[in-house]
Amino acid sequence: MNARTRTALAAALVLGLAAGPAAPALAAGAPKPAATSTAAKAPAYGAPDAKALAAAIAGLPGDTATAALARLSGTSGAWRGSSGLHDLRSGSPADPDARFRAGSVTKVFTAATLLQLATEKRVDLDRPVRAYLPELIPAAYEKVTVRQLLNHTSGLPSADFAGTTVEEWYENRFLVHTPRGMVASATAKPPEFPAGKRQHYLNINYTVAGLLIERVTGHTYESEVTRRIIEPLGLHGTSYPGADPLIHGPHNHGYQTMRLDDGTTGLRDVSVWGATDGWAAGDIISTTADLERFTKALFRGRVVRGPLLEEMFTLPGPSVRDYESGAPAAYSAGLTSWRLGGHEVWGKTGGRWGYNAGIGGTRDLSRTLVYSVNSTDAKGQGTNDVVMGLIVSAFGAPARE
């Protein structure tokens, strides 16, 4: 994944949507860090604003999305909604239980699995990654720790991928990328910064994390996450595609605006697209019901048990700034922190071509939101208006600088 900079919280809310390689940079700026204990207590959430939530996903298909699914829950009530079409050819309504590509939401599963291993004393978060993967991590990266992978402060640069435009990426959509090949491509370059000194959100950190899980457990990354998280929580609609470019089971088609074969610009069905470039950083397929269940279990301490759960709700120290914008660090181990409607909200966004997804909630689960939006420019430079409408309707407006 290419660098992401953030000039406004609106852009930051879709940060991580581009789980694939070489996506266009988003607008610069950083989310306002979640307030510390000195902040005023946020007002309690009232009943879900069903009218605003419905309006946020109304009128689909439209210019920016063809379908949307959302689930809001919390202490003050729940709301479910869907809008748009299953596919443009048939005109059938969107399936509210559809599976979709969740992109960088995958990172939450990866981080949780690695933190489970740390809880079991099989991984030391402060130990250099090279101690576990000496043949893969060169001496230039000998000081990078496991924790620095998880919170994107490693200094590892992105791997190189073929293509610079969406049309070229589409032509290469069936290329199979190996995790080791991606890491070799990245580590052949010099570090972007000394380990622990800056934060740069890049997929490569979680590609290495996936390989670390395999080394420590002796099992494939996918089987380990399935055994530890997917099966115990009963996430029956959640899976890893491997090299299979298909979404198996019911799913709403994803579309991307691009140049078509006749030279015009229009929507192309991009539902069939390989996701090996994402792997442990961004290839998971899931449903809104599964991701809601996962979010609640995670926040309640049922996935990562004990004190290491706090790693997911702890940002790097104040001296660590964003590599490109210089803004405060906004990523913990697997999650992102935002200030919305006076509340501290933790979550993760993600996406693949044709699909945007997100999970989020307050730490006490007084409100959670899970969504899937079939965006027509899921890796574009701006924020998707349907996504932003859902987030603001669920949690409130972002904090102003």
Side-chain angles (χ1 to χ4, degrees), residues 113-133 143-150 212-213 216 308 311:
T113 299
L114 203 45
L115 289 172
Q116 283 189 11
L117 292 169
T119 299
E120 297 163 7
K121 308 298 184 185
R122 300 173 69 182
V123 171
D124 184 343
L125 297 184
D126 293 315
R127 191 180 186 192
V129 179
R130 193 167 189 247
Y132 298 97
L133 298 165
K143 294 184 179 180
V144 174
T145 66
V146 177
R147 179 180 282 107
Q148 290 163 350
L149 290 178
L150 293 180
L212 177 55
I213 289 169
V216 170
L308 282 177
E311 294 286 335

Side-chain angles (χ1 to χ4, degrees), residues 188-278:
K189 308 172 193 177
E192 291 186 327
F193 50 81
K197 298 300 183 181
R198 294 287 185 270
Q199 186 174 73
H200 193 185
Y201 178 90
L202 290 174
N203 273 1
I204 193 64
N205 293 292
Y206 278 71
T207 303
V208 176
L211 289 169
L212 177 55
I213 289 169
E214 293 193 333
R215 174 59 54 85
V216 170
T217 65
H219 304 139
T220 66
Y221 161 78
E222 296 87 348
S223 66
E224 198 66 18
V225 178
T226 298
R227 182 180 71 84
R228 290 173 172 271
I229 300 175
I230 294 175
E231 289 180 347
L233 294 182
L235 307 182
H236 302 299
T238 300
S239 62
Y240 286 94
D244 190 342
L246 299 175
I247 303 175
H248 292 277
H251 62 280
N252 300 317
H253 288 223
Y255 295 87
Q256 168 66 34
T257 301
M258 66 172 73
R259 188 177 63 255
L260 304 178
D261 295 339
D262 62 3
T264 63
T265 297
L267 292 179
R268 187 187 292 274
D269 191 327
V270 292
S271 309
V272 180
W273 194 310
T276 55
D277 56 282

Side-chain angles (χ1 to χ4, degrees), residues 9-15 17 26-27 56-58 60 62-69 255-257 349-350 352 354-357 371-392:
L9 182 57
L13 287 170
V14 292
L15 217 120
L17 293 180
L26 295 178
I57 63 173
L60 301 183
D63 292 339
T64 62
T66 59
L69 317 175
Y255 295 87
Q256 168 66 34
T257 301
T349 56
R352 299 291 304 180
Y355 298 89
N356 283 164
Y371 64 82
S372 167
V373 173
N374 293 54
S375 303
T376 57
D377 191 11
K379 295 172 181 265
Q381 294 186 1
T383 186
N384 182 277
D385 57 350
V386 179
V387 170
M388 197 62 191
L390 280 169
I391 291 170
V392 172

Side-chain angles (χ1 to χ4, degrees), residues 155-364:
L156 283 162
S158 178
D160 292 325
F161 297 94
T164 59
T165 67
V166 62
E167 290 81 13
E168 291 172 342
W169 297 323
Y170 178 77
E171 290 298 319
N172 293 319
R173 66 194 182 279
F174 298 134
L175 286 180
V176 175
H177 306 274
T178 67
R180 287 180 170 268
M182 291 186 285
V183 174
S185 170
T187 57
K189 308 172 193 177
E192 291 186 327
F193 50 81
K197 298 300 183 181
R198 294 287 185 270
Q199 186 174 73
H200 193 185
Y201 178 90
L202 290 174
N203 273 1
I204 193 64
N205 293 292
Y206 278 71
T207 303
V208 176
L211 289 169
L212 177 55
I213 289 169
E214 293 193 333
R215 174 59 54 85
V216 170
T217 65
H219 304 139
T220 66
Y221 161 78
E222 296 87 348
S223 66
E224 198 66 18
V225 178
T226 298
R227 182 180 71 84
R228 290 173 172 271
I229 300 175
I230 294 175
E231 289 180 347
L233 294 182
L235 307 182
H236 302 299
T238 300
S239 62
Y240 286 94
D244 190 342
L246 299 175
I247 303 175
H248 292 277
H251 62 280
N252 300 317
H253 288 223
Y255 295 87
Q256 168 66 34
T257 301
M258 66 172 73
R259 188 177 63 255
L260 304 178
D261 295 339
D262 62 3
T264 63
T265 297
L267 292 179
R268 187 187 292 274
D269 191 327
V270 292
S271 309
V272 180
W273 194 310
T276 55
D277 56 282
W279 194 52
D283 71 347
I284 206 166
I285 292 170
S286 194
T287 67
T288 55
D290 275 9
L291 291 181
E292 183 181 68
R293 179 178 297 183
F294 170 66
T295 301
K296 291 179 178 180
L298 180 71
F299 283 34
R300 286 172 176 152
R302 291 180 50 212
V303 179
V304 180
R305 301 180 187 275
L308 282 177
L309 176 60
E310 292 307 310
E311 294 286 335
M312 304 192 81
F313 298 96
T314 303
L315 299 177
S319 65
V320 178
R321 315 290 288 190
D322 182 83
Y323 174 58
E324 293 188 322
S325 70
Y331 298 98
S332 65
L335 298 176
T336 311
S337 172
W338 302 290
R339 192 76 183 172
L340 299 169
H343 294 262
E344 182 182 69
V345 176
W346 294 87
K348 190 71 190 75
T349 56
R352 299 291 304 180
W353 296 110
Y355 298 89
N356 283 164
I359 65 174
T362 55
R363 183 73 189 272
D364 63 359

